[in-house]
Amino acid sequence: MNVDKLILAALFAITVCQFILTGHSDLSPQESLWWMESQRLTWAYLDDGPALPALVRFSTFLLGDTPQAVRLWNPLFMLLSTYWLFLIARSVCNRTTARWSVVVFNLLPMVNFAAVRQLDVAACFCFTLLTLWLFWCGLHRARPGHWIWWLAGWSLALCVLIDFILALFALTPIFIIAHSP
């Protein structure tokens, strides 16, 4: 069997298990807060940005007021995080390193816990890795003013809308550009 097909089958099985497990426990206090914030959407909250309550509102509109509806996005965000990590590792190193990074990433307990219970961590992983990959593509594949730079900026804006502390993540590209040859 092809290694890529085996990894994809394992990722599919893990994601299905994570979707099933999202509804088997009560909401944590943080998840309850996001559910309450989703009832009255605004542009800013004391601890997070408006993106997570908006996602919770959309998913509870689709599935009703259940724990699984609040956590609907977690497995999807972790699957997308795995994909962005694969693209980053393949671009920076090679395909074998990318495969190993996917396997090790999905074996981490924090990743599996975030895929079932922690919406903010799953979303932060997803959009941070997306921003890094778009930034890499912008530096190595695109010309100035290319649309990839716009996508990287929008992805960074989504990071900030998820959690305001991720605004410090904007310093990373500046540091990389300042120290590149």
PDB file of all heavy atoms in Angstrom, residues 139-170:
ATOM      1  N   LEU A 139       7.141  34.582  -0.015  1.00  0.00           N
ATOM      2  CA  LEU A 139       8.579  34.844  -0.064  1.00  0.00           C
ATOM      3  C   LEU A 139       9.285  34.095  -1.180  1.00  0.00           C
ATOM      4  O   LEU A 139      10.239  34.601  -1.767  1.00  0.00           O
ATOM      5  CB  LEU A 139       9.228  34.466   1.273  1.00  0.00           C
ATOM      6  CG  LEU A 139       9.056  35.437   2.420  1.00  0.00           C
ATOM      7  CD1 LEU A 139       9.700  34.872   3.678  1.00  0.00           C
ATOM      8  CD2 LEU A 139       9.662  36.787   2.086  1.00  0.00           C
ATOM      9  N   HIS A 140       8.838  32.875  -1.481  1.00  0.00           N
ATOM     10  CA  HIS A 140       9.607  32.020  -2.387  1.00  0.00           C
ATOM     11  C   HIS A 140       8.964  31.801  -3.745  1.00  0.00           C
ATOM     12  O   HIS A 140       9.634  31.288  -4.648  1.00  0.00           O
ATOM     13  CB  HIS A 140       9.851  30.664  -1.723  1.00  0.00           C
ATOM     14  CG  HIS A 140      10.711  30.783  -0.510  1.00  0.00           C
ATOM     15  ND1 HIS A 140      12.075  30.891  -0.572  1.00  0.00           N
ATOM     16  CD2 HIS A 140      10.404  30.845   0.803  1.00  0.00           C
ATOM     17  CE1 HIS A 140      12.574  31.001   0.639  1.00  0.00           C
ATOM     18  NE2 HIS A 140      11.578  30.978   1.498  1.00  0.00           N
ATOM     19  N   ARG A 141       7.702  32.133  -3.897  1.00  0.00           N
ATOM     20  CA  ARG A 141       7.051  31.838  -5.168  1.00  0.00           C
ATOM     21  C   ARG A 141       6.413  33.043  -5.835  1.00  0.00           C
ATOM     22  O   ARG A 141       6.121  33.004  -7.021  1.00  0.00           O
ATOM     23  CB  ARG A 141       5.958  30.783  -4.966  1.00  0.00           C
ATOM     24  CG  ARG A 141       6.478  29.472  -4.483  1.00  0.00           C
ATOM     25  CD  ARG A 141       5.359  28.498  -4.322  1.00  0.00           C
ATOM     26  NE  ARG A 141       5.849  27.261  -3.730  1.00  0.00           N
ATOM     27  CZ  ARG A 141       5.078  26.339  -3.233  1.00  0.00           C
ATOM     28  NH1 ARG A 141       3.783  26.483  -3.254  1.00  0.00           N
ATOM     29  NH2 ARG A 141       5.600  25.252  -2.718  1.00  0.00           N
ATOM     30  N   ALA A 142       6.122  34.071  -5.097  1.00  0.00           N
ATOM     31  CA  ALA A 142       5.315  35.168  -5.637  1.00  0.00           C
ATOM     32  C   ALA A 142       6.144  36.429  -5.844  1.00  0.00           C
ATOM     33  O   ALA A 142       7.171  36.627  -5.210  1.00  0.00           O
ATOM     34  CB  ALA A 142       4.156  35.467  -4.692  1.00  0.00           C
ATOM     35  N   ARG A 143       5.653  37.261  -6.687  1.00  0.00           N
ATOM     36  CA  ARG A 143       6.263  38.567  -6.899  1.00  0.00           C
ATOM     37  C   ARG A 143       5.602  39.568  -5.953  1.00  0.00           C
ATOM     38  O   ARG A 143       4.534  39.288  -5.411  1.00  0.00           O
ATOM     39  CB  ARG A 143       6.095  38.989  -8.354  1.00  0.00           C
ATOM     40  CG  ARG A 143       4.673  39.126  -8.781  1.00  0.00           C
ATOM     41  CD  ARG A 143       4.543  39.354 -10.283  1.00  0.00           C
ATOM     42  NE  ARG A 143       3.176  39.569 -10.663  1.00  0.00           N
ATOM     43  CZ  ARG A 143       2.255  38.626 -10.790  1.00  0.00           C
ATOM     44  NH1 ARG A 143       2.560  37.371 -10.535  1.00  0.00           N
ATOM     45  NH2 ARG A 143       1.026  38.912 -11.162  1.00  0.00           N
ATOM     46  N   PRO A 144       6.194  40.722  -5.741  1.00  0.00           N
ATOM     47  CA  PRO A 144       5.564  41.726  -4.862  1.00  0.00           C
ATOM     48  C   PRO A 144       4.183  42.123  -5.384  1.00  0.00           C
ATOM     49  O   PRO A 144       3.975  42.300  -6.578  1.00  0.00           O
ATOM     50  CB  PRO A 144       6.540  42.897  -4.913  1.00  0.00           C
ATOM     51  CG  PRO A 144       7.842  42.294  -5.296  1.00  0.00           C
ATOM     52  CD  PRO A 144       7.520  41.124  -6.191  1.00  0.00           C
ATOM     53  N   GLY A 145       3.238  42.255  -4.474  1.00  0.00           N
ATOM     54  CA  GLY A 145       1.882  42.616  -4.845  1.00  0.00           C
ATOM     55  C   GLY A 145       1.025  41.459  -5.313  1.00  0.00           C
ATOM     56  O   GLY A 145      -0.101  41.651  -5.753  1.00  0.00           O
ATOM     57  N   HIS A 146       1.574  40.253  -5.256  1.00  0.00           N
ATOM     58  CA  HIS A 146       0.827  39.072  -5.693  1.00  0.00           C
ATOM     59  C   HIS A 146      -0.329  38.795  -4.733  1.00  0.00           C
ATOM     60  O   HIS A 146      -0.293  39.173  -3.570  1.00  0.00           O
ATOM     61  CB  HIS A 146       1.784  37.873  -5.759  1.00  0.00           C
ATOM     62  CG  HIS A 146       1.242  36.722  -6.519  1.00  0.00           C
ATOM     63  ND1 HIS A 146       0.651  35.670  -5.899  1.00  0.00           N
ATOM     64  CD2 HIS A 146       1.208  36.462  -7.845  1.00  0.00           C
ATOM     65  CE1 HIS A 146       0.259  34.788  -6.812  1.00  0.00           C
ATOM     66  NE2 HIS A 146       0.605  35.251  -8.003  1.00  0.00           N
ATOM     67  N   TRP A 147      -1.337  38.094  -5.197  1.00  0.00           N
ATOM     68  CA  TRP A 147      -2.524  37.831  -4.385  1.00  0.00           C
ATOM     69  C   TRP A 147      -2.229  36.963  -3.157  1.00  0.00           C
ATOM     70  O   TRP A 147      -2.998  36.983  -2.193  1.00  0.00           O
ATOM     71  CB  TRP A 147      -3.627  37.206  -5.223  1.00  0.00           C
ATOM     72  CG  TRP A 147      -3.232  35.917  -5.894  1.00  0.00           C
ATOM     73  CD1 TRP A 147      -2.665  35.784  -7.124  1.00  0.00           C
ATOM     74  CD2 TRP A 147      -3.357  34.610  -5.356  1.00  0.00           C
ATOM     75  NE1 TRP A 147      -2.409  34.466  -7.400  1.00  0.00           N
ATOM     76  CE2 TRP A 147      -2.841  33.713  -6.318  1.00  0.00           C
ATOM     77  CE3 TRP A 147      -3.844  34.095  -4.171  1.00  0.00           C
ATOM     78  CZ2 TRP A 147      -2.804  32.342  -6.125  1.00  0.00           C
ATOM     79  CZ3 TRP A 147      -3.806  32.721  -3.981  1.00  0.00           C
ATOM     80  CH2 TRP A 147      -3.295  31.867  -4.949  1.00  0.00           C
ATOM     81  N   ILE A 148      -1.125  36.207  -3.150  1.00  0.00           N
ATOM     82  CA  ILE A 148      -0.781  35.388  -1.975  1.00  0.00           C
ATOM     83  C   ILE A 148      -0.508  36.282  -0.774  1.00  0.00           C
ATOM     84  O   ILE A 148      -0.847  35.937   0.351  1.00  0.00           O
ATOM     85  CB  ILE A 148       0.416  34.468  -2.296  1.00  0.00           C
ATOM     86  CG1 ILE A 148      -0.050  33.350  -3.204  1.00  0.00           C
ATOM     87  CG2 ILE A 148       1.041  33.914  -1.034  1.00  0.00           C
ATOM     88  CD1 ILE A 148       0.981  32.338  -3.572  1.00  0.00           C
ATOM     89  N   TRP A 149       0.097  37.439  -1.014  1.00  0.00           N
ATOM     90  CA  TRP A 149       0.352  38.355   0.096  1.00  0.00           C
ATOM     91  C   TRP A 149      -0.963  38.868   0.692  1.00  0.00           C
ATOM     92  O   TRP A 149      -1.066  39.051   1.906  1.00  0.00           O
ATOM     93  CB  TRP A 149       1.225  39.519  -0.367  1.00  0.00           C
ATOM     94  CG  TRP A 149       2.630  39.100  -0.615  1.00  0.00           C
ATOM     95  CD1 TRP A 149       3.231  38.929  -1.824  1.00  0.00           C
ATOM     96  CD2 TRP A 149       3.601  38.747   0.365  1.00  0.00           C
ATOM     97  NE1 TRP A 149       4.525  38.516  -1.653  1.00  0.00           N
ATOM     98  CE2 TRP A 149       4.781  38.393  -0.312  1.00  0.00           C
ATOM     99  CE3 TRP A 149       3.598  38.698   1.751  1.00  0.00           C
ATOM    100  CZ2 TRP A 149       5.936  38.001   0.337  1.00  0.00           C
ATOM    101  CZ3 TRP A 149       4.757  38.311   2.401  1.00  0.00           C
ATOM    102  CH2 TRP A 149       5.900  37.972   1.698  1.00  0.00           C
ATOM    103  N   TRP A 150      -1.953  39.099  -0.149  1.00  0.00           N
ATOM    104  CA  TRP A 150      -3.261  39.522   0.351  1.00  0.00           C
ATOM    105  C   TRP A 150      -3.898  38.412   1.184  1.00  0.00           C
ATOM    106  O   TRP A 150      -4.476  38.679   2.245  1.00  0.00           O
ATOM    107  CB  TRP A 150      -4.179  39.899  -0.806  1.00  0.00           C
ATOM    108  CG  TRP A 150      -3.775  41.185  -1.447  1.00  0.00           C
ATOM    109  CD1 TRP A 150      -3.041  41.332  -2.587  1.00  0.00           C
ATOM    110  CD2 TRP A 150      -4.058  42.492  -0.972  1.00  0.00           C
ATOM    111  NE1 TRP A 150      -2.849  42.662  -2.854  1.00  0.00           N
ATOM    112  CE2 TRP A 150      -3.471  43.401  -1.883  1.00  0.00           C
ATOM    113  CE3 TRP A 150      -4.756  43.003   0.121  1.00  0.00           C
ATOM    114  CZ2 TRP A 150      -3.561  44.771  -1.719  1.00  0.00           C
ATOM    115  CZ3 TRP A 150      -4.849  44.363   0.277  1.00  0.00           C
ATOM    116  CH2 TRP A 150      -4.256  45.239  -0.646  1.00  0.00           C
ATOM    117  N   LEU A 151      -3.803  37.180   0.698  1.00  0.00           N
ATOM    118  CA  LEU A 151      -4.349  36.052   1.472  1.00  0.00           C
ATOM    119  C   LEU A 151      -3.623  35.888   2.803  1.00  0.00           C
ATOM    120  O   LEU A 151      -4.255  35.579   3.819  1.00  0.00           O
ATOM    121  CB  LEU A 151      -4.259  34.752   0.667  1.00  0.00           C
ATOM    122  CG  LEU A 151      -5.230  34.602  -0.491  1.00  0.00           C
ATOM    123  CD1 LEU A 151      -4.971  33.295  -1.222  1.00  0.00           C
ATOM    124  CD2 LEU A 151      -6.660  34.661   0.003  1.00  0.00           C
ATOM    125  N   ALA A 152      -2.307  36.076   2.801  1.00  0.00           N
ATOM    126  CA  ALA A 152      -1.557  35.991   4.060  1.00  0.00           C
ATOM    127  C   ALA A 152      -2.011  37.068   5.038  1.00  0.00           C
ATOM    128  O   ALA A 152      -2.153  36.812   6.242  1.00  0.00           O
ATOM    129  CB  ALA A 152      -0.056  36.111   3.785  1.00  0.00           C
ATOM    130  N   GLY A 153      -2.262  38.250   4.535  1.00  0.00           N
ATOM    131  CA  GLY A 153      -2.758  39.320   5.403  1.00  0.00           C
ATOM    132  C   GLY A 153      -4.135  39.017   5.962  1.00  0.00           C
ATOM    133  O   GLY A 153      -4.399  39.237   7.151  1.00  0.00           O
ATOM    134  N   TRP A 154      -5.027  38.493   5.139  1.00  0.00           N
ATOM    135  CA  TRP A 154      -6.363  38.133   5.624  1.00  0.00           C
ATOM    136  C   TRP A 154      -6.308  36.980   6.610  1.00  0.00           C
ATOM    137  O   TRP A 154      -7.070  36.941   7.591  1.00  0.00           O
ATOM    138  CB  TRP A 154      -7.285  37.788   4.451  1.00  0.00           C
ATOM    139  CG  TRP A 154      -7.806  39.003   3.769  1.00  0.00           C
ATOM    140  CD1 TRP A 154      -7.421  39.495   2.555  1.00  0.00           C
ATOM    141  CD2 TRP A 154      -8.787  39.909   4.268  1.00  0.00           C
ATOM    142  NE1 TRP A 154      -8.098  40.651   2.265  1.00  0.00           N
ATOM    143  CE2 TRP A 154      -8.956  40.926   3.300  1.00  0.00           C
ATOM    144  CE3 TRP A 154      -9.540  39.972   5.438  1.00  0.00           C
ATOM    145  CZ2 TRP A 154      -9.846  41.976   3.485  1.00  0.00           C
ATOM    146  CZ3 TRP A 154     -10.424  41.024   5.600  1.00  0.00           C
ATOM    147  CH2 TRP A 154     -10.574  42.003   4.633  1.00  0.00           C
ATOM    148  N   SER A 155      -5.415  36.026   6.364  1.00  0.00           N
ATOM    149  CA  SER A 155      -5.256  34.920   7.306  1.00  0.00           C
ATOM    150  C   SER A 155      -4.726  35.417   8.650  1.00  0.00           C
ATOM    151  O   SER A 155      -5.169  34.965   9.712  1.00  0.00           O
ATOM    152  CB  SER A 155      -4.321  33.867   6.709  1.00  0.00           C
ATOM    153  OG  SER A 155      -4.122  32.816   7.586  1.00  0.00           O
ATOM    154  N   LEU A 156      -3.787  36.342   8.606  1.00  0.00           N
ATOM    155  CA  LEU A 156      -3.289  36.940   9.848  1.00  0.00           C
ATOM    156  C   LEU A 156      -4.391  37.712  10.567  1.00  0.00           C
ATOM    157  O   LEU A 156      -4.495  37.667  11.795  1.00  0.00           O
ATOM    158  CB  LEU A 156      -2.095  37.842   9.552  1.00  0.00           C
ATOM    159  CG  LEU A 156      -1.418  38.483  10.748  1.00  0.00           C
ATOM    160  CD1 LEU A 156      -0.859  37.423  11.676  1.00  0.00           C
ATOM    161  CD2 LEU A 156      -0.317  39.411  10.284  1.00  0.00           C
ATOM    162  N   ALA A 157      -5.237  38.389   9.809  1.00  0.00           N
ATOM    163  CA  ALA A 157      -6.369  39.100  10.418  1.00  0.00           C
ATOM    164  C   ALA A 157      -7.330  38.116  11.085  1.00  0.00           C
ATOM    165  O   ALA A 157      -7.852  38.400  12.170  1.00  0.00           O
ATOM    166  CB  ALA A 157      -7.097  39.921   9.362  1.00  0.00           C
ATOM    167  N   LEU A 158      -7.543  36.964  10.475  1.00  0.00           N
ATOM    168  CA  LEU A 158      -8.383  35.942  11.114  1.00  0.00           C
ATOM    169  C   LEU A 158      -7.744  35.425  12.395  1.00  0.00           C
ATOM    170  O   LEU A 158      -8.448  35.134  13.366  1.00  0.00           O
ATOM    171  CB  LEU A 158      -8.638  34.787  10.148  1.00  0.00           C
ATOM    172  CG  LEU A 158      -9.744  35.023   9.137  1.00  0.00           C
ATOM    173  CD1 LEU A 158      -9.779  33.897   8.118  1.00  0.00           C
ATOM    174  CD2 LEU A 158     -11.079  35.162   9.817  1.00  0.00           C
ATOM    175  N   CYS A 159      -6.418  35.296  12.397  1.00  0.00           N
ATOM    176  CA  CYS A 159      -5.726  34.901  13.639  1.00  0.00           C
ATOM    177  C   CYS A 159      -6.023  35.890  14.757  1.00  0.00           C
ATOM    178  O   CYS A 159      -6.293  35.500  15.887  1.00  0.00           O
ATOM    179  CB  CYS A 159      -4.218  34.831  13.417  1.00  0.00           C
ATOM    180  SG  CYS A 159      -3.642  33.441  12.472  1.00  0.00           S
ATOM    181  N   VAL A 160      -5.981  37.171  14.431  1.00  0.00           N
ATOM    182  CA  VAL A 160      -6.229  38.194  15.444  1.00  0.00           C
ATOM    183  C   VAL A 160      -7.691  38.183  15.874  1.00  0.00           C
ATOM    184  O   VAL A 160      -8.000  38.389  17.049  1.00  0.00           O
ATOM    185  CB  VAL A 160      -5.801  39.579  14.922  1.00  0.00           C
ATOM    186  CG1 VAL A 160      -6.190  40.675  15.887  1.00  0.00           C
ATOM    187  CG2 VAL A 160      -4.298  39.601  14.674  1.00  0.00           C
ATOM    188  N   LEU A 161      -8.606  37.914  14.949  1.00  0.00           N
ATOM    189  CA  LEU A 161     -10.024  37.851  15.308  1.00  0.00           C
ATOM    190  C   LEU A 161     -10.356  36.628  16.157  1.00  0.00           C
ATOM    191  O   LEU A 161     -11.366  36.611  16.849  1.00  0.00           O
ATOM    192  CB  LEU A 161     -10.894  37.864  14.051  1.00  0.00           C
ATOM    193  CG  LEU A 161     -10.978  39.194  13.319  1.00  0.00           C
ATOM    194  CD1 LEU A 161     -11.797  39.043  12.056  1.00  0.00           C
ATOM    195  CD2 LEU A 161     -11.560  40.269  14.213  1.00  0.00           C
ATOM    196  N   ILE A 162      -9.511  35.607  16.113  1.00  0.00           N
ATOM    197  CA  ILE A 162      -9.711  34.440  16.972  1.00  0.00           C
ATOM    198  C   ILE A 162      -9.239  34.746  18.380  1.00  0.00           C
ATOM    199  O   ILE A 162      -9.938  34.509  19.354  1.00  0.00           O
ATOM    200  CB  ILE A 162      -8.975  33.218  16.388  1.00  0.00           C
ATOM    201  CG1 ILE A 162      -9.677  32.770  15.114  1.00  0.00           C
ATOM    202  CG2 ILE A 162      -8.904  32.086  17.399  1.00  0.00           C
ATOM    203  CD1 ILE A 162      -8.898  31.790  14.306  1.00  0.00           C
ATOM    204  N   ASP A 163      -8.025  35.260  18.483  1.00  0.00           N
ATOM    205  CA  ASP A 163      -7.473  35.583  19.792  1.00  0.00           C
ATOM    206  C   ASP A 163      -6.565  36.801  19.617  1.00  0.00           C
ATOM    207  O   ASP A 163      -5.662  36.786  18.786  1.00  0.00           O
ATOM    208  CB  ASP A 163      -6.680  34.399  20.347  1.00  0.00           C
ATOM    209  CG  ASP A 163      -6.406  34.520  21.822  1.00  0.00           C
ATOM    210  OD1 ASP A 163      -6.731  35.567  22.410  1.00  0.00           O
ATOM    211  OD2 ASP A 163      -5.863  33.556  22.394  1.00  0.00           O
ATOM    212  N   PHE A 164      -6.799  37.819  20.402  1.00  0.00           N
ATOM    213  CA  PHE A 164      -6.076  39.078  20.221  1.00  0.00           C
ATOM    214  C   PHE A 164      -4.583  38.947  20.482  1.00  0.00           C
ATOM    215  O   PHE A 164      -3.794  39.712  19.957  1.00  0.00           O
ATOM    216  CB  PHE A 164      -6.668  40.163  21.113  1.00  0.00           C
ATOM    217  CG  PHE A 164      -8.069  40.546  20.736  1.00  0.00           C
ATOM    218  CD1 PHE A 164      -9.048  40.664  21.699  1.00  0.00           C
ATOM    219  CD2 PHE A 164      -8.411  40.786  19.422  1.00  0.00           C
ATOM    220  CE1 PHE A 164     -10.342  41.022  21.351  1.00  0.00           C
ATOM    221  CE2 PHE A 164      -9.694  41.137  19.060  1.00  0.00           C
ATOM    222  CZ  PHE A 164     -10.662  41.260  20.026  1.00  0.00           C
ATOM    223  N   ILE A 165      -4.169  37.984  21.292  1.00  0.00           N
ATOM    224  CA  ILE A 165      -2.739  37.803  21.579  1.00  0.00           C
ATOM    225  C   ILE A 165      -1.982  37.381  20.321  1.00  0.00           C
ATOM    226  O   ILE A 165      -0.769  37.587  20.221  1.00  0.00           O
ATOM    227  CB  ILE A 165      -2.534  36.802  22.737  1.00  0.00           C
ATOM    228  CG1 ILE A 165      -1.119  36.894  23.310  1.00  0.00           C
ATOM    229  CG2 ILE A 165      -2.792  35.384  22.271  1.00  0.00           C
ATOM    230  CD1 ILE A 165      -0.869  38.146  24.067  1.00  0.00           C
ATOM    231  N   LEU A 166      -2.688  36.827  19.341  1.00  0.00           N
ATOM    232  CA  LEU A 166      -2.037  36.431  18.096  1.00  0.00           C
ATOM    233  C   LEU A 166      -1.632  37.638  17.253  1.00  0.00           C
ATOM    234  O   LEU A 166      -1.009  37.471  16.208  1.00  0.00           O
ATOM    235  CB  LEU A 166      -2.927  35.486  17.299  1.00  0.00           C
ATOM    236  CG  LEU A 166      -3.051  34.084  17.894  1.00  0.00           C
ATOM    237  CD1 LEU A 166      -4.022  33.248  17.094  1.00  0.00           C
ATOM    238  CD2 LEU A 166      -1.709  33.398  17.978  1.00  0.00           C
ATOM    239  N   ALA A 167      -1.961  38.836  17.695  1.00  0.00           N
ATOM    240  CA  ALA A 167      -1.452  40.024  17.014  1.00  0.00           C
ATOM    241  C   ALA A 167       0.071  40.072  17.109  1.00  0.00           C
ATOM    242  O   ALA A 167       0.739  40.625  16.235  1.00  0.00           O
ATOM    243  CB  ALA A 167      -2.071  41.288  17.605  1.00  0.00           C
ATOM    244  N   LEU A 168       0.613  39.468  18.164  1.00  0.00           N
ATOM    245  CA  LEU A 168       2.072  39.392  18.280  1.00  0.00           C
ATOM    246  C   LEU A 168       2.677  38.490  17.217  1.00  0.00           C
ATOM    247  O   LEU A 168       3.861  38.593  16.909  1.00  0.00           O
ATOM    248  CB  LEU A 168       2.454  38.884  19.672  1.00  0.00           C
ATOM    249  CG  LEU A 168       2.049  39.788  20.832  1.00  0.00           C
ATOM    250  CD1 LEU A 168       2.358  39.113  22.157  1.00  0.00           C
ATOM    251  CD2 LEU A 168       2.742  41.125  20.728  1.00  0.00           C
ATOM    252  N   PHE A 169       1.851  37.606  16.659  1.00  0.00           N
ATOM    253  CA  PHE A 169       2.310  36.729  15.576  1.00  0.00           C
ATOM    254  C   PHE A 169       2.705  37.540  14.351  1.00  0.00           C
ATOM    255  O   PHE A 169       3.510  37.098  13.543  1.00  0.00           O
ATOM    256  CB  PHE A 169       1.204  35.723  15.248  1.00  0.00           C
ATOM    257  CG  PHE A 169       1.543  34.783  14.142  1.00  0.00           C
ATOM    258  CD1 PHE A 169       2.624  33.926  14.252  1.00  0.00           C
ATOM    259  CD2 PHE A 169       0.772  34.736  13.001  1.00  0.00           C
ATOM    260  CE1 PHE A 169       2.927  33.052  13.236  1.00  0.00           C
ATOM    261  CE2 PHE A 169       1.066  33.873  11.983  1.00  0.00           C
ATOM    262  CZ  PHE A 169       2.143  33.024  12.100  1.00  0.00           C
ATOM    263  N   ALA A 170       2.175  38.758  14.218  1.00  0.00           N
ATOM    264  CA  ALA A 170       2.526  39.613  13.084  1.00  0.00           C
ATOM    265  C   ALA A 170       3.989  40.027  13.129  1.00  0.00           C
ATOM    266  O   ALA A 170       4.562  40.413  12.112  1.00  0.00           O
ATOM    267  CB  ALA A 170       1.629  40.850  13.065  1.00  0.00           C
TER     268      ALA A 170
END
